[in-house]
């Protein structure tokens, strides 16, 4: 006699939890599944039909995400033009790319290669790095494995570079030197971007620095391996970044998309460029003058894995209260958000049920 089919919801939940736990305890990530040569993805990765229905080619050209040339930004004329471009992008699509940012292309290429190398280490070398704690260096797949109803096809190496300096010995040797170099070189770019964004709001150049923005630095090296069924799952689900500012280096594979009007626009790989986007806290402190916009990454059945490095810049003073800045509100434009500490905001980010609600909405007045 055939075994009874599982139909009740609680049985399905139980089966799913079993699969999730098994995946988590494998400490091999989705790279482990791809390497095992699977031809169908485990059920826990299958996304709901309302998500799958949106995985269509983008009808937009990609020009909606502007590329801004930072060359000569120290001359007053150039600077005001650049501030205008940055302000426009930050207050509309929430994303832009920058070129002539000062980081040599070899440093970018080496950082991507180093990140690829660490994800491609033998599984038994990587396994001890798989952990849920965020301090130091950690590997993980699906940070919200136990809070979401569908997993995504991506593994991530996290390196916590600041505010507490990392012990370099903790970083795997295959990528240590190159990622430290890349990180050090992104810091002046971050400082410049924060100045330009501050000026774009009519604030002093150093305002965001005074607020400790950008002192906390989390580097996330993402690895999106070959996926046999890219139309059933996603590389990374739609989300906004919780912090202040994200600077992202992507390889030339493509797949990152930003919510735009009623659809999705591709962030086309631009050689030598860095992708910049506004996080929730910057939307909050700017009283929504700058926009933290939903984005996602498609899964792909290309044999070559996609690699990206996202650096999340956040406030160093985790216990300070952040809310709409007084300078940016008025009787006609009252604060739209409650004040919140960075620590509490992040706590909610990591513990909230994955739903369609944007996290900023929980703090809306
Ligand atoms: C992120 C993110 C995009 C990418 O890490 O928050 O949106 O291209 N990454 O990996
Ligand atoms: Ni993101």
């Amino acid at each position: 006699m055939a075994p009874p089919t599982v139909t009740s919801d609680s049985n399905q939940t139980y089966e799913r939890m079993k699969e999730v736990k098994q995946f988590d305890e494998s400490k091999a990530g989705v790279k482990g599944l791809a390497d095992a040569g699977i031809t169908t993805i485990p059920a826990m990765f299958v996304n709901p039909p309302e998500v799958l229905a949106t995985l269509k080619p983008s009808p937009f050209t990609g020009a909606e995400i502007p590329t801004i040339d930072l060359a000569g930004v120290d001359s007053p004329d150039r600077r005001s033009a650049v501030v205008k471009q940055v302000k426009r992008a930050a207050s509309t699509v929430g994303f832009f790319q920058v070129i002539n940012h000062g980081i040599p292309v070899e440093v970018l290429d080496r950082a991507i290669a180093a990140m690829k190398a660490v994800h491609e280490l033998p599984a038994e070398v990587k396994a001890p790095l798989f952990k849920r704690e965020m301090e130091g260096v950690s590997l993980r797949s699906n940070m919200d494995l136990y809070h979401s109803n569908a997993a995504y096809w991506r593994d991530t190496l996290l390196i916590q570079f600041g505010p507490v300096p990392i012990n370099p010995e903790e970083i795997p040797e295959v990528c240590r030197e190159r990622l430290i170099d890349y990180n050090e070189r992104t810091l002046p770019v971050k400082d410049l971007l924060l100045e330009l964004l501050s000026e774009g709001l009519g604030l002093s150049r150093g305002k965001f620095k005074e607020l400790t923005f950008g002192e906390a630095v989390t580097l996330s090296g993402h690895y999106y391996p070959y996926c046999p069924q890219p139309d059933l799952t996603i590389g990374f689900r739609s989300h906004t970044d919780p912090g202040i500012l994200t600077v992202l280096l992507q390889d030339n594979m493509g797949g990152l998309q930003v919510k735009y009007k009623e659809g999705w626009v591709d962030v086309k790989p631009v050689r030598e460029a860095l992708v910049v986007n506004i996080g929730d806290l910057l939307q909050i402190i700017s009283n929504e003058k700058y926009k933290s916009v939903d984005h996602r990454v498609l899964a792909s059945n290309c044999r070559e894995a996609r690699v990206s490095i996202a650096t999340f810049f956040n406030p160093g003073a985790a216990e300070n209260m952040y809310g709409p800045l007084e300078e940016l509100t008025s009787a006609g434009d009252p604060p739209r958000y409650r004040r919140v500490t960075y620590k509490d905001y992040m706590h909610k980010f990591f513990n909230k049920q994955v739903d369609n609600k944007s996290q900023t909405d929980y703090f809306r007045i």
Side-chain angles (χ1 to χ4, degrees):
M1 209 172 75
T5 38
V6 177
T7 47
S8 89
D9 274 3
S10 66
N11 265 348
Q12 278 179 7
T13 309
Y14 173 74
E15 286 301 317
R16 177 178 170 77
M17 279 321 282
K18 225 170 83 179
E19 199 175 286
V20 163
K21 220 162 162 282
Q22 202 179 14
F23 171 72
D24 201 18
E25 286 167 4
S26 77
K27 295 187 182 282
V30 286
K31 168 86 166 84
L33 296 174
D35 286 350
I38 54 162
T39 51
T40 53
I41 60 172
M44 60 180 274
F45 290 96
V46 176
N47 273 242
E50 59 276 17
V51 171
L52 300 181
T54 68
L55 304 179
K56 294 188 214 102
S58 169
F60 302 107
T61 62
E64 296 77 6
I65 313 282
T67 297
I68 300 175
D69 188 348
L70 296 179
V73 72
D74 289 330
S75 81
D77 278 2
R78 251 322 271 155
R79 193 170 186 99
S80 63
V82 172
V83 166
K84 259 195 209 134
Q85 288 175 297
V86 166
K87 177 186 179 178
R88 194 182 149 79
S91 47
T92 54
V93 277
F95 270 76
F96 53 96
Q97 310 213 42
V98 290
I99 52 169
N100 290 317
H101 40 62
I103 309 181
V105 68
E106 306 80 62
V107 173
L108 305 181
D109 289 347
R110 282 193 212 124
I112 290 285
M115 193 53 84
K116 193 166 208 174
V118 70
H119 281 281
E120 292 178 354
L121 284 170
E124 64 277 14
V125 179
K126 288 194 307 183
L129 290 172
F130 270 86
K131 50 186 173 206
R132 296 262 144 213
E133 299 77 42
M134 295 263 302
E135 297 89 39
V137 176
S138 56
L139 253 174
R140 74 204 51 219
S141 186
N142 282 268
M143 61 176 180
D144 46 19
L145 202 53
Y146 296 98
H147 299 278
S148 71
N149 53 10
Y152 48 82
W153 206 256
R154 172 178 99 170
D155 298 334
T156 297
L157 177 83
L158 280 183
I159 307 179
Q160 205 65 54
F161 273 111
V164 183
I166 190 157
N167 169 8
E169 297 293 310
E170 275 195 64
I171 305 173
E173 209 179 335
V174 272
C175 63
R176 188 182 301 152
E177 201 183 316
R178 291 166 174 203
L179 294 182
I180 290 176
D181 188 24
Y182 172 72
N183 180 62
E184 277 169 5
R185 295 198 189 241
T186 58
L187 302 181
V189 181
K190 169 262 304 185
D191 287 339
L192 171 62
L193 290 167
L194 287 176
E195 285 182 9
L196 298 171
L197 285 161
S198 188
E199 289 167 63
L201 293 170
L203 302 167
S204 70
R205 193 179 274 207
K207 180 71 185 179
F208 287 169
K209 204 174 181 123
E210 283 163 33
L211 292 170
T212 79
F213 292 176
E215 286 179 15
V217 182
T218 306
L219 184 141
S220 308
H222 304 307
Y223 188 86
Y224 299 86
Y226 160 79
C227 176
Q229 294 178 300
D231 43 359
L232 291 185
T233 190
I234 190 142
F236 188 37
R237 62 176 165 70
S238 173
H239 68 288
T240 57
D241 294 349
I244 297 290
L245 189 72
T246 307
V247 173
L248 178 112
L249 170 64
Q250 62 171 338
D251 66 12
N252 61 4
M253 302 294 290
L256 172 61
Q257 298 191 318
V258 176
K259 190 101 193 252
Y260 183 74
K261 300 196 169 148
E262 292 315 304
W264 294 89
V265 59
D266 294 326
V267 182
K268 297 249 159 75
V270 172
R271 180 89 180 124
E272 300 191 27
L274 294 167
V275 179
V276 182
N277 67 287
I278 304 300
D280 291 351
L281 274 185
L282 199 46
Q283 171 168 312
I284 289 175
I285 71 103
S286 72
N287 208 29
E288 231 172 348
K289 290 176 175 59
Y290 288 162
K291 304 282 188 328
S292 174
V293 176
D294 277 305
H295 51 288
R296 68 181 187 184
V297 181
L298 301 178
S300 159
N301 58 4
C302 189
R303 288 283 160 187
E304 179 91 17
R306 173 177 185 265
V307 175
S308 68
I309 303 176
T311 309
F312 302 107
F313 292 107
N314 292 316
E319 313 270 355
N320 285 4
M321 296 292 279
Y322 296 103
L325 295 178
E326 231 170 63
E327 301 91 312
L328 302 177
T329 59
S330 61
D333 185 10
R336 299 179 189 196
Y337 296 100
R338 288 187 278 125
R339 286 149 55 83
V340 59
T341 66
Y342 167 59
K343 194 171 163 196
D344 289 348
Y345 199 81
M346 292 310 279
H347 186 264
K348 178 145 188 83
F349 177 75
F350 286 114
N351 293 283
K352 125 183 206 296
Q353 193 63 30
V354 176
D355 54 25
N356 285 330
K357 202 166 158 177
S358 151
Q359 193 180 317
T360 48
D361 286 345
Y362 289 94
F363 296 88
R364 203 177 274 283
I365 292 176

